[in-house]
Amino acid sequence: MAGIVAAGVIAGCRRGGDADVLEFWAMGREGEVVQRLVPEFERRHPGARVRVQQIPWSAAHEKLLTAYVGGAMPDVVQVGNTWLAELAALGALAPVEDALAVRDDALAARDDARASVAADLAAGSDEFPGVVAATAIDGERFGVPWYVDTRVLFYRRDLLRAAGVDAPPATWDGWVAAMERLARGGERYAVLLPMTEWEPPVIFAMQRGATLLRDGDRFGDFRSPAFRAALDFYRSLFQRGLAPRAGAARSANVYQDFASGWFSILISGPWNLGEMTRRLPALADAWATAPLPTFAGEGPGVSLAGGASLAVVRTSPHAELAWRWIAFLAEPAQQLAFWRLTGDLPARPSAWREAGLADAPRTAAFWRQLARVQAPPTVPEWERIAAKITEHAEDVVRGAVALDDALTALDRDVDAMLEKRRWMLDRAAARGAAAAPVRGRTAAAGDASARARPGPAGDPVGGGRS
C-alpha cells in the first residue's frame, strides 16, 4: 500500500515529464537556512525535490500579489500572519483542513508518525492557541505556524537595579514608577517607543479590552473607552518624558543607545535575542527579558500573536506533497533544528520543552507570554488599518491633534476602508448565505487583483515578521 501511495504522489508531482519539483517561497534568512533541511525530506520521499526561492521580506508582499495575479504562485509559501487574511480573501490559499487527506493517506499506509503530524496540523494540538487563532479567517485555518513571535520587554537589569528596582514589576503602574527613576530630564529616557510602530498602542488597547473593530469587523471602534484609555496611556509616556518623541529618528543605532543607557526598556520580539547577544557582548549579564505587565489582574498582560506560517497555494498541482513538506517542517525535531539554525522560536510547545527553552533565561519570558497572546483583527484591510493607527497616534503624541479628534478621524478612515467588506457581508446576507463562511473575502477596496480573480465560494509582527 505504501508503495502504491508513494507512486501516486510522485506521479501527481510530474510536470510534463520534468523532475518532481515542489516550489517553496521563503522569506529573508529563513529562505536561506531552510535549504539545509531539504535533504532529509527528499531522503524520505525518493524522487521528490524541493526548490526553495529566497525572497527579501521587503519585496515579499508585492511579489506574492503579483504572482497571484499572474498565475505564477509556487506550491508552498511562507506568509506573515497578518497577510493571511488578504491572501485567503483572494482565494489564493488552501484550507488546512485539506491536511486531513494527508492524514488519512498516512493512516492507510500505516505511517503512524506522519499521520500524527498531519492530525496535529488539522486539529491544532501541540500549538499555541493564540498563534493558531491568528491563522484562522472566519473560523477556518489557512496557515500552519512555522515559527512564533510575540513582544515582551527587553530591559537593562543593571540600570533597573541601580535605580532601586530589583525585579521587573508585574503591572504598568509598577513599570511607570520604575521609569520615573530611570529617566533623566531629556538626557536619558526610560523606554523607546518608535512612533513608526503600531504594535505598542495596539497592545495597550488589547490589554484594556479594546476590540479595535465592531459589528462583525464592519466598522472601526477606536472611540471606545478602552481604546481611548490605551492611547491616552501611550501619549502619557511621551508627555512625562519617559519616552523620546524623536524615537527611532533620534536613535541612529538602537543597540548602541541601549548599551549607553540612553533608554533602558524596549518592547520587542525574539529577533532581538540574537541581535543583542551578538552586538552587545560586553552587556551579556546586564539585560534581560520579561513578559508584558498588566494594567490590572493577573499577568502577564496580553501581547500580539506573531510569527510566520506555511500555507499551500490553492492551485498547487502538488498539494499532497506540499502538505507533507509542511508536516515535515512542523515536526518537533525539524522545529528544533530550525531554531538552532535561525534562532526563530519553535511553533510547537513540545519542542520548547524538549530543548529546555521554557525555562531558559530570556526565552522563558517568551514562553510565558505566548500563553497570553492575541491576534489583531483578521481582515484583509488590517495592514492599512495598522498604518492609520500609527499615523493618528503620532499626531496625538506630537500634540498636532486632540485625542478625541484623532479617534474620530481614525474611525472615519477605517470605516471607509471597510466599506467594501460591509457591502460584501450585506450582499451575502441578502442572498441567504449569512450562515455560510464569509472567509474575509472582502479584498481591499480598489484591489484589482481581487476583482480579476475571486476565490471559490465558501475561503495571519515588528520587523516585517508579524
Side-chain angles (χ1 to χ4, degrees), residues 128-432:
F128 295 98
V131 177
V132 170
T135 69
I137 316 301
D138 293 318
E140 190 167 20
R141 290 183 61 184
F142 287 90
V144 175
W146 189 14
Y147 59 81
V148 295
D149 71 51
T150 187
R151 298 213 172 197
V152 301
L153 295 181
F154 287 69
Y155 69 96
R156 286 286 301 272
R157 179 168 50 192
D158 57 340
L159 297 182
L160 206 64
R161 286 176 175 167
V165 182
D166 292 332
T171 66
W172 281 114
D173 283 346
W175 270 106
V176 169
M179 291 180 192
E180 298 278 8
R181 298 184 182 191
L182 290 166
R184 291 288 182 274
E187 297 180 358
R188 290 177 182 269
Y189 297 87
V191 58
L192 181 68
L193 296 169
M195 282 186 276
T196 54
E197 295 186 354
W198 56 266
E199 289 87 351
V202 167
I203 288 172
F204 297 152
M206 288 178 167
Q207 291 198 4
R208 291 289 193 184
T211 59
L212 308 180
L213 304 180
R214 63 179 173 85
D215 296 348
D217 296 339
R218 295 167 184 248
F219 298 93
D221 195 26
F222 298 100
R223 282 174 288 181
S224 68
F227 191 88
R228 189 186 190 286
L231 192 56
D232 190 35
F233 173 74
Y234 176 72
R235 177 180 61 173
S236 74
L237 297 175
F238 296 91
Q239 288 177 328
R240 300 168 73 166
L242 304 178
R245 281 192 170 89
R250 156 63 178 81
S251 181
N253 187 307
V254 169
Y255 303 102
Q256 289 180 3
D257 288 338
F258 187 63
S260 71
W262 187 66
F263 69 91
S264 303
I265 303 164
L266 181 67
I267 300 175
S268 191
W271 54 91
N272 263 327
L273 289 171
E275 288 296 320
M276 288 199 177
T277 300
R278 183 171 63 85
R279 293 170 181 262
L280 307 175
L283 294 179
D285 298 322
W287 63 273
T289 58
L292 293 184
T294 181
F295 285 107
E298 188 175 350
V302 170
S303 189
L304 284 166
S309 291
L310 302 168
V312 172
V313 173
R314 183 174 59 85
T315 55
S316 168
H318 309 146
E320 184 172 345
L321 188 64
W323 285 116
R324 292 185 182 188
W325 170 240
I326 290 178
F328 169 79
L329 293 178
E331 291 177 356
Q334 306 308 322
Q335 289 269 296
L336 284 179
F338 198 59
W339 166 68
R340 293 185 179 105
L341 290 169
T342 63
D344 291 337
L345 296 177
R348 313 202 71 177
S350 61
W352 283 71
R353 288 188 285 268
E354 182 176 339
L357 293 173
D359 302 315
R362 294 174 179 165
T363 54
F366 284 93
W367 172 257
R368 291 184 59 202
Q369 190 65 66
L370 284 164
R372 293 292 306 278
V373 294
Q374 181 178 331
T378 52
V379 295
E381 298 83 358
W382 175 250
E383 292 283 343
R384 294 194 296 144
I385 292 173
K388 277 297 174 185
I389 293 173
T390 303
E391 176 185 322
H392 288 289
E394 179 172 359
D395 285 345
V396 170
V397 167
R398 296 194 183 284
V401 179
L403 175 60
D404 290 313
D405 290 343
L407 296 177
T408 298
L410 180 54
D411 267 341
R412 182 189 62 230
D413 291 346
V414 172
D415 287 352
M417 292 178 189
L418 295 172
E419 181 179 5
K420 187 171 184 179
R421 176 178 177 80
R422 293 193 295 276
W423 178 80
M424 294 287 285
L425 291 170
D426 291 344
R427 189 176 67 165
R431 289 178 176 176

